[in-house]
Amino acid sequence: MPRISAAARTPVNGRVSHWFTELPAPRAPLPGDRDADVCIIGAGYTGLWTAYYLKQADPSLRIAVLEARFAGYGASGRNGGWLSGLAPGDRNRLARRYGRESVLAWQRALNEAVDEVIAVADREGIDCGAVKGGTLQIARTRAQAARLAAEVAEERAWQVEGITELSKDEVRQRIAIDGVLAGYHTPHCARIQPARLVRGLADAVERLGVDIHEDTPAVEIGPGRVRTPAGTVRAPVVLRATEGFTARLPGLRRRWLPMNSSMIVTEPIGPRLWASIGWQGRETLGDTAHGFFYAQRTVDDRIAIGGRSVPYRFGSRVDRDGAVPERTIARLTAVLRTILPQTRDVAIAHAWCGVLAVPRDWQATVSFHPATGLGEAGGYVGHGVTAANLAGRTLADLVLGRRTPLTGLRWVGHRSRDWEPEPLRWLGVRGLYLAYRAADRHEATGRAATSPIARLADRITGKP
């Protein structure tokens, strides 16, 4: 059994993730009925970036942000810390519908958004631990190596610059990963401490004059108003930025599926062990398995690693403050020990989970309807840290009625169909991930091509 501290098994002092080393004093809830020019539901990356760019463009705007718990409580404070240009959707599917050039523009905008976030953090004095070391993607089986080569070709086809293919020895010169066969590196990613970014962003928008009301859940959203237990906010513009918690809102249960992802983090690792591991470039690290992992070397010299364990809860339920079952901790610990056996004696300090939003066609969206004043952004399928910045800037332009290159990007106005009712939703997602685990076991036998089990699962669920 892995060494697991007591803190790893349960949420620590309401922190919901390791990234919250401490929680600041809570902001006051909505004091009662009020008026605003813009009301934003959700104080995560999307809501806060939208407020930031709106207020920068028009300081006279009265903006109220409503948050059910506290700023960063959701995926913005629980994610893997990949500030990455990864596209939150299927580029090939979008290209077939809208044309290749429009998708190329979207990909360029995502890559540029990585630098935009870092620039704003520097300007606003947000110490989010950003190191733009890129991403190291690896393969540990022959089938994974085939998919990795296809990924390289795909990225180059979408004109993602700076891709470097790596032999197993070149991978191990960066990080001493056990059993690696091949890899590639892309420069379009920075390692960050995600809670520092979201909390710093919240402070920055408050300095601009935005009101953030924490402990204020929205219970009803409509044109011109948002009702909460504490009162009603009346505003001609109402923007929803609720991501994985969208299913909790009336009428939106099947809009986006709340997919669960879990993480663990080790105790701090000393210099001698780091010398045997490497990881001096602070690259984010992932693989091409179907049951993939994602990892980083943290600001405080730990290893944080995540993946899917309990991917979906029946009825679109969400976790309770990030608590995870012990079997999830054991599974992620086994992944860490397998790829980096040097860590076998390093204890696991903390574990947590959170939900991300997955539309039925796995395609994120930004939309605003001037006639009703209602807008939304999200559905980032796990690639939201950077995409939320681009979405926030885009949503701000849409609200202000500005025609810009961002408002012409093809995720604007995209609408996916709703997910199936239960129990089909639960059966489909559970079946998908059981199939992926079976496919990984199948490929571990040495086959050179992707398992037909995974191909069938992708086809049935529509996953890109």
Side-chain angles (χ1 to χ4, degrees):
M1 283 291 292
R3 290 171 54 209
I4 304 171
S5 71
R9 295 185 172 91
T10 55
V12 182
N13 300 323
R15 280 165 39 189
V16 305
S17 81
H18 167 74
W19 307 124
F20 290 98
T21 52
E22 61 181 19
L23 287 179
R27 294 174 171 87
L30 183 72
D33 293 348
R34 65 160 291 181
D35 294 331
D37 297 311
V38 180
C39 181
I40 298 171
I41 302 103
Y45 292 142
T46 302
L48 294 172
W49 280 125
T50 304
Y52 181 84
Y53 289 107
L54 280 170
K55 199 69 172 175
Q56 288 275 359
D58 186 352
S60 70
L61 287 174
R62 298 170 301 159
I63 301 175
V65 179
L66 307 181
E67 168 55 47
R69 294 292 296 275
F70 56 83
Y73 172 80
S76 299
R78 308 193 205 181
N79 63 80
W82 285 39
L83 181 62
S84 167
L86 289 168
D90 185 345
R91 292 170 297 193
N92 291 301
R93 185 181 296 165
L94 281 177
R96 287 192 294 271
R97 185 170 181 179
Y98 300 117
R100 176 178 168 79
E101 288 304 315
S102 65
V103 181
L104 285 171
W106 186 47
Q107 182 63 71
R108 286 193 296 269
L110 286 163
N111 291 342
E112 291 164 1
V114 175
D115 294 324
E116 169 69 8
V117 173
I118 295 171
V120 173
D122 288 344
R123 185 165 67 243
E124 297 293 345
I126 302 171
D127 179 14
C128 63
V131 177
K132 195 178 180 185
T135 295
L136 179 60
Q137 197 79 348
I138 66 162
R140 299 182 70 252
T141 69
R142 294 173 66 200
Q144 288 178 28
R147 283 196 297 277
L148 186 138
E151 276 190 20
V152 170
E154 173 92 352
E155 295 301 292
R156 287 174 173 163
W158 289 111
Q159 299 180 8
V160 177
E161 298 177 347
I163 302 289
T164 303
E165 294 179 82
L166 302 170
S167 68
K168 62 180 180 181
D169 291 335
E170 288 170 328
V171 170
R172 287 181 56 81
Q173 286 171 12
R174 292 171 178 262
I175 307 174
I177 298 165
D178 191 60
V180 67
L181 298 181
Y184 75 86
H185 178 266
T186 175
H188 304 290
C189 186
R191 183 281 316 266
I192 64 166
Q193 208 280 25
R196 287 190 193 175
L197 176 60
V198 69
R199 299 301 294 192
L201 186 57
D203 293 341
V205 300
E206 281 189 318
R207 290 193 297 269
L208 291 173
V210 173
D211 297 322
I212 301 175
H213 302 291
E214 296 182 336
D215 196 23
T216 305
V219 296
E220 183 182 354
I221 301 170
R225 75 184 193 289
V226 180
R227 186 168 63 85
T228 81
T232 297
V233 178
R234 292 173 296 274
V237 174
V238 174
L239 307 175
R240 182 176 58 74
T242 48
E243 191 59 2
F245 295 91
T246 299
R248 287 184 160 188
L249 295 168
L252 297 174
R253 176 63 62 90
R254 293 164 53 196
R255 177 80 170 92
W256 292 336
L257 185 139
M259 186 77 76
N260 191 71
S261 195
S262 302
M263 295 197 74
I264 59 171
V265 68
T266 68
E267 294 288 356
I269 294 172
R272 181 176 297 179
L273 185 52
W274 276 122
S276 70
I277 295 172
W279 219 332
Q280 299 304 309
R282 271 66 175 179
E283 306 94 334
T284 55
L285 174 65
D287 74 342
T288 49
H290 302 292
F292 60 87
F293 74 83
Y294 52 93
Q296 66 150 282
R297 177 176 175 174
T298 69
V299 173
D300 52 352
D301 275 336
R302 306 168 188 253
I303 295 174
I305 184 168
R308 304 285 187 264
S309 179
V310 181
Y312 173 72
R313 293 177 171 86
F314 188 87
S316 292
R317 291 180 292 112
V318 298
D319 59 273
R320 182 175 180 179
D321 289 348
V324 293
E326 193 156 327
R327 67 180 183 276
T328 297
I329 302 172
R331 183 173 291 138
L332 289 173
T333 302
V335 173
L336 174 62
R337 305 289 196 246
T338 299
I339 62 170
L340 291 170
Q342 307 93 315
T343 65
R344 58 186 173 273
D345 295 325
V346 180
I348 304 305
H350 193 187
W352 67 97
C353 68
V355 291
L356 53 101
V358 178
R360 185 60 182 86
D361 62 359
W362 302 75
Q363 173 61 53
T365 188
V366 180
S367 65
F368 178 67
H369 305 283
T372 62
L374 296 174
E376 66 176 359
Y380 302 124
V381 297
H383 299 326
V385 179
T386 303
N389 172 271
L390 183 60
R393 283 186 282 144
T394 305
L395 200 50
D397 284 346
L398 291 169
V399 168
L400 296 169
R402 303 192 297 200
R403 292 178 63 87
T404 69
L406 298 187
T407 61
L409 296 175
R410 288 304 188 176
W411 64 341
V412 173
H414 179 81
R415 177 63 191 255
S416 61
R417 66 184 177 90
D418 286 348
W419 282 85
E420 290 78 2
E422 296 291 19
L424 297 178
R425 206 159 61 241
W426 182 83
L427 289 170
V429 178
R430 181 172 175 80
L432 173 70
Y433 281 91
L434 287 174
Y436 282 164
R437 288 175 191 163
D440 281 330
R441 290 193 297 270
H442 188 199
E443 293 174 5
T445 62
R447 63 178 284 114
T450 291
S451 170
I453 301 171
R455 294 187 186 279
L456 178 62
D458 288 345
R459 190 175 304 116
I460 291 172
T461 61
K463 187 178 184 297

